[in-house]
Amino acid sequence: MAKPKHDPAKRPRRLHLVLGDQLDHRSATLRDLDPAQDAVWMAETHAEATHVWCHKLRLVVFFSAMRHFRDELRGKGVTVHYHELTTRKADDRGADFTEVLRKDVRKLKPERLVAMQPGDFRVQAMLEQSAEELGVGLEVREDDHFFCSLDEFAEWAGGKKELVQEMFYRRMRKRDAVLLTKDGKPVGGEWNYDADNRKTFGKVGPPTMRKRPHHFRPDDLTQEVIDMVEVRFVDHPGSTEQFDLPVTRKEALKYLRDFIEHRLCDFGPYEDAMWTDAPFLYHSRLSQALNMHLLNPRECVQKAIAAYEAGDTPLNSVEGFVRQLIGWREFIRGVYYFKGEAYLNSNALDNDEGADVPSFFWDGDTEMACVSDVMRSVIKHAWAHHIPRLMVMGLFAMLLGVHPRKFHDWHMAMYVDAIDWVSAPNTIGMATWGDGGVVGTKPYAASGNYIDKMSNYCKSCRYHPKRASGDDACPFTTLYWDFLDRHRDTFKGNMRMAFQVKNIDRKRQTDEIDAIRAKAQDIKRQMLNEESRKAGSTG
C-alpha cells in the first residue's frame, strides 16, 4: 500500500508535538499517529538555545538529531511542520517556543494537541499555558521510555523519611527479574559490586584501548547545522571541529555495540578512575543517545546481560552498568517529578544566591590540574564521565559555596546529555547537597587527597593535595576544611558524617584553623566575586 503523501497544507486532526529529547519512532507521542489525518510539529527556537549559555556541540547534536528525525518521519509519509533556525537571527518565525507553537496552531487549527511529558517543568508549563490560551485540548502522555512510571515511584517514595537509591534499585531488580536466580536471589550473591569497582590505574596509567568508532563524521545535514551554529552562536563555549556524536538511532546502536564489545568488560573496575587526557576510558558515553531517546534503556540492559551470560563480560562490570540504568537513572527521574518544581530552588546550605560558578568553569583557565583537564574535555566534547562531574567540578562548586541552581544552570549549558530531569537531582542534590539529603544521605565532601588517590592529576599540579594553607595549598583541601568548619552544626547529627565532624573538631583546637579560614576567604573572594569571562548569560 502506498504511503500517504506529505501535505503541509492539510489541516490535521491531531498535532503531535515532538521535543528534541523525544526522538523515538515508537514513543507514546507517535504510537497512534495516523499519517492520513494527523501531523507532527517540531521546532528549533532561539530562546531554547539560549535560556542557558549552551555549548556549541549541545546545540549541534540537538538540532541535527531533530532534523534527521524529521526527515525519517517524512520518509514514512508523515506531515511534519518544522521550524529551522538559520544564520539570520531575524528569520526566527518567533524566537520563543510558545510563540512559534501558538502561531502554527492558529494557522493549522488542529482539533487537539498530543504531547509526551516533557523532561523539564519549564517546558511543560509553556505547553499547558499555550494550549489554555489557544483554547485547544492538550493530551499529555507519560513517557514510557523509562522502566518505572511516575505513579509507581510516587507509591514507593510516599511516606518514606529517606529515599534510598539502593532500596529502589533492588525493588526494580526484583520487579523485572533482572540479574536474579530462579529463587529470586541476586546473581553472584550480592546486590552490587561497588567494592570491586573502585580500582585506580596506579602509576602506569590505563592500558592502550581500542579507539572509539568515528562513524559519525558530519553528513550534509549535520554540516548545515554546524555552519549555522558557528555563525549564529559564535560567542557560545566549545568547538564543533571534531564532531563525532550519534544523531540517529542507527548511529547510537553502533555506539552501544562498541561499548558492549570493547569497553564494558573493564568498565566496572575502573568506573571511578581518572587520568590526564583520557576523558572516555571505559565509559559508554551513551547518556546523550539515551536521554534523547535514540536508544532505549531496556535494550542496553538486555545487551549487557547477554554479554555476561555469554561469558564475555564479568558480573561486576555488567551489574555496575545495569545499576546506572535501572537504579540511578530511574531514581533521579523519580525524585525530579516526585519533589516537583520547587526542588529546583533547593538551597539547604543557604549559599548566596549570587554565588555563580568561577570563570574557569567556562574556559578551563586555572592552575588546578584536575579542573583544567576536566574542562578541556568539557570544552572539546561537551562531556565528562560521572566522577569528574561529581568529584571534581561538583565537589569544587559545593566546597566553594556556589548556589546549587547556578551550578545546575552551568551543567545544563555545558553537557551534551543534560536534560532538566536528569541534571537537577545530580547537580542540586548529589553534587552540591542543595536538597539537604534527598538524593544522598551525606554530602560528597572530600579533600584533594581523594583526587590524588583516584587520578594522576596531582603529580603535575603546582598545588599539594595534603596542604590546606600556604602558597601551595590545594584549593580543594583548603575549601574542604572550611566547608566542614562552616557547616559543622548542620552535619553534627548526621551519623555518616561523624568521622569528618570529629576531624574538623580536632582542627578547631589548633592554630591551623585560622590559617585555613583566611586562605579559604581569599579563594572565595577571588573566585566568587570575579567577573565571568563568558560573553553574556543569555546568548
Side-chain angles (χ1 to χ4, degrees):
M1 190 169 87
K3 296 176 182 176
K5 291 184 179 180
H6 169 69
D7 184 2
K10 183 178 179 180
R11 177 185 176 184
R13 176 189 60 169
R14 297 183 304 202
L15 194 60
H16 295 250
L17 314 182
V18 175
L19 305 180
D21 60 338
Q22 299 177 349
L23 307 182
D24 179 1
H25 288 277
R26 298 167 296 178
S27 73
T29 320
L30 302 176
R31 189 163 298 129
D32 58 351
L33 181 143
D34 181 353
Q37 303 183 75
D38 305 323
V40 166
W41 180 89
M42 302 175 71
E44 304 166 13
T45 69
H46 186 82
E48 287 303 298
T50 57
H51 80 277
V52 290
W53 199 47
C54 278
H55 195 296
K56 290 177 183 177
L57 277 182
R58 177 176 166 82
L59 297 176
V60 173
V61 163
F62 273 87
F63 294 155
S64 176
M66 289 170 67
R67 293 183 190 188
H68 280 87
F69 193 75
R70 169 203 63 192
D71 291 353
E72 290 167 5
L73 287 173
R74 286 177 176 171
K76 296 179 177 180
V78 176
T79 297
V80 182
H81 300 277
Y82 192 97
H83 296 275
E84 283 188 5
L85 290 178
T86 70
T87 55
R88 296 175 55 219
K89 288 190 178 183
D91 188 20
D92 263 347
R93 299 193 230 176
D96 180 81
F97 177 88
T98 55
E99 186 178 346
V100 175
L101 177 60
R102 291 170 190 173
K103 185 180 296 185
D104 277 356
V105 170
R106 291 188 181 106
K107 178 177 67 177
L108 296 169
K109 296 180 173 57
E111 295 177 15
R112 61 184 168 129
L113 307 177
V114 176
M116 196 158 65
Q117 185 165 36
D120 188 322
F121 290 122
R122 179 184 56 85
V123 175
Q124 183 170 328
M126 288 194 293
L127 284 178
E128 293 171 350
Q129 181 181 358
S130 295
E132 183 177 355
E133 292 181 4
L134 289 164
V136 62
L138 172 64
E139 179 187 351
V140 178
R141 300 173 178 177
E142 181 160 0
D143 188 349
D144 58 5
H145 163 90
F146 296 91
F147 286 91
C148 184
S149 72
L150 299 180
D151 285 344
E152 182 182 358
F153 186 89
E155 181 182 355
W156 172 79
K160 285 183 169 59
K161 291 183 179 180
E162 292 183 340
L163 303 181
V164 180
Q165 186 271 153
E166 178 67 20
M167 296 300 102
F168 172 77
Y169 168 56
R170 295 183 185 187
R171 172 191 172 102
M172 295 298 293
R173 288 264 302 269
K174 292 174 183 176
R175 191 200 72 175
D176 293 347
V178 174
L179 289 176
L180 294 186
T181 61
K182 291 182 179 180
D183 60 354
K185 303 293 184 181
V187 171
E190 302 291 339
W191 285 104
N192 78 61
Y193 291 88
D194 267 353
D196 298 326
N197 290 354
R198 294 170 181 157
K199 290 185 178 180
T200 70
F201 294 119
K203 295 181 179 180
V204 298
T208 302
M209 288 175 284
R210 172 188 167 95
K211 288 186 177 180
R212 288 180 176 266
H214 290 277
H215 304 294
F216 318 127
R217 300 183 191 281
D219 60 11
D220 291 343
L221 193 58
T222 300
Q223 190 60 53
E224 287 178 10
V225 175
I226 290 174
D227 294 343
M228 181 272 289
V229 167
E230 288 291 357
V231 172
R232 182 166 185 149
F233 303 100
V234 64
D235 62 339
H236 282 228
S239 169
T240 61
E241 290 181 1
Q242 295 183 337
F243 185 86
D244 67 343
L245 293 165
V247 293
T248 66
R249 173 164 170 77
K250 182 178 179 181
E251 292 176 344
L253 286 170
K254 288 181 180 179
Y255 243 61
L256 173 60
R257 182 168 62 250
D258 174 78
F259 171 65
I260 297 295
E261 293 179 0
H262 303 293
R263 304 174 204 285
L264 177 58
C265 186
D266 291 306
F267 164 74
Y270 300 111
E271 64 176 300
D272 287 1
M274 299 178 284
W275 199 260
T276 302
D277 294 327
F280 305 140
L281 296 170
Y282 299 104
H283 291 263
S284 72
R285 207 182 171 197
L286 293 173
S287 52
Q288 167 246 323
L290 277 163
N291 293 349
M292 296 178 74
H293 291 28
L294 295 175
L295 287 176
N296 189 291
R298 293 171 182 82
E299 64 193 337
C300 297
V301 169
Q302 289 166 1
K303 290 182 183 299
I305 293 175
Y308 165 70
E309 291 177 342
D312 298 330
T313 307
L315 180 59
N316 62 307
S317 285
V318 171
E319 186 278 320
F321 180 63
V322 167
R323 178 155 30 96
Q324 287 192 347
L325 293 175
I326 287 183
W328 188 249
R329 188 169 185 262
E330 298 286 324
F331 177 74
I332 60 171
R333 175 179 180 258
V335 167
Y336 179 81
Y337 288 101
F338 182 70
K339 290 297 180 180
E341 193 168 4
Y343 184 88
L344 298 174
N345 296 316
S346 301
N347 185 20
L349 297 178
D350 198 26
N351 290 347
D352 190 311
E353 290 186 3
D356 207 343
V357 298
S359 61
F360 53 77
F361 271 53
W362 299 101
D363 59 24
D365 187 8
T366 174
E367 292 184 289
M368 289 182 286
C370 57
V371 175
S372 178
D373 184 76
V374 172
M375 283 309 304
R376 281 199 299 273
S377 172
V378 174
I379 291 167
K380 186 175 182 179
H381 304 291
W383 188 88
H385 73 74
H386 66 277
I387 294 300
R389 292 197 205 201
L390 173 65
M391 298 306 296
V392 178
M393 306 310 293
L395 172 62
F396 196 80
M398 180 179 71
L399 299 181
L400 186 63
V402 171
H403 191 279
R405 183 60 183 265
K406 298 287 188 181
F407 180 66
H408 170 54
D409 289 345
W410 171 82
H411 190 275
M412 286 289 294
M414 292 298 279
Y415 287 99
V416 71
D417 53 9
I419 312 293
D420 206 52
W421 68 264
V422 68
S423 181
N426 274 297
T427 55
I428 294 172
M430 192 178 191
T432 63
W433 213 70
D435 66 5
V438 174
V439 169
T441 54
K442 61 171 291 235
Y444 282 81
S447 70
N449 290 328
Y450 173 85
I451 295 171
D452 189 29
K453 175 185 175 183
M454 299 305 300
S455 74
N456 68 330
Y457 291 140
C458 300
K459 304 297 184 293
S460 61
C461 188
R462 89 163 189 86
Y463 300 113
H464 197 294
K466 294 187 181 301
R467 293 176 187 160
S469 60
D471 291 341
D472 62 348
C474 172
F476 279 87
T477 303
T478 302
L479 292 172
Y480 168 74
W481 291 113
D482 178 71
F483 175 81
L484 294 179
D485 184 43
R486 281 182 285 137
H487 300 296
R488 189 262 180 203
D489 290 344
T490 300
F491 300 130
K492 66 181 180 182
N494 188 323
M495 296 302 294
R496 295 193 65 200
M497 292 289 290
F499 181 74
Q500 289 167 297
V501 169
K502 287 181 180 179
N503 282 341
I504 190 58
D505 285 346
R506 281 193 288 268
K507 287 278 187 190
R508 282 177 159 187
Q509 295 172 11
T510 69
D511 294 338
E512 186 184 7
I513 194 64
D514 292 330
I516 291 173
R517 288 169 177 165
K519 182 71 174 179
Q521 286 305 310
D522 286 343
I523 293 172
K524 287 184 285 186
R525 190 179 302 113
Q526 176 189 0
M527 295 182 182
L528 288 178
N529 296 327
E530 64 181 359
E531 183 178 350
S532 176
R533 295 177 196 151
K534 67 188 181 77
S537 61
T538 59

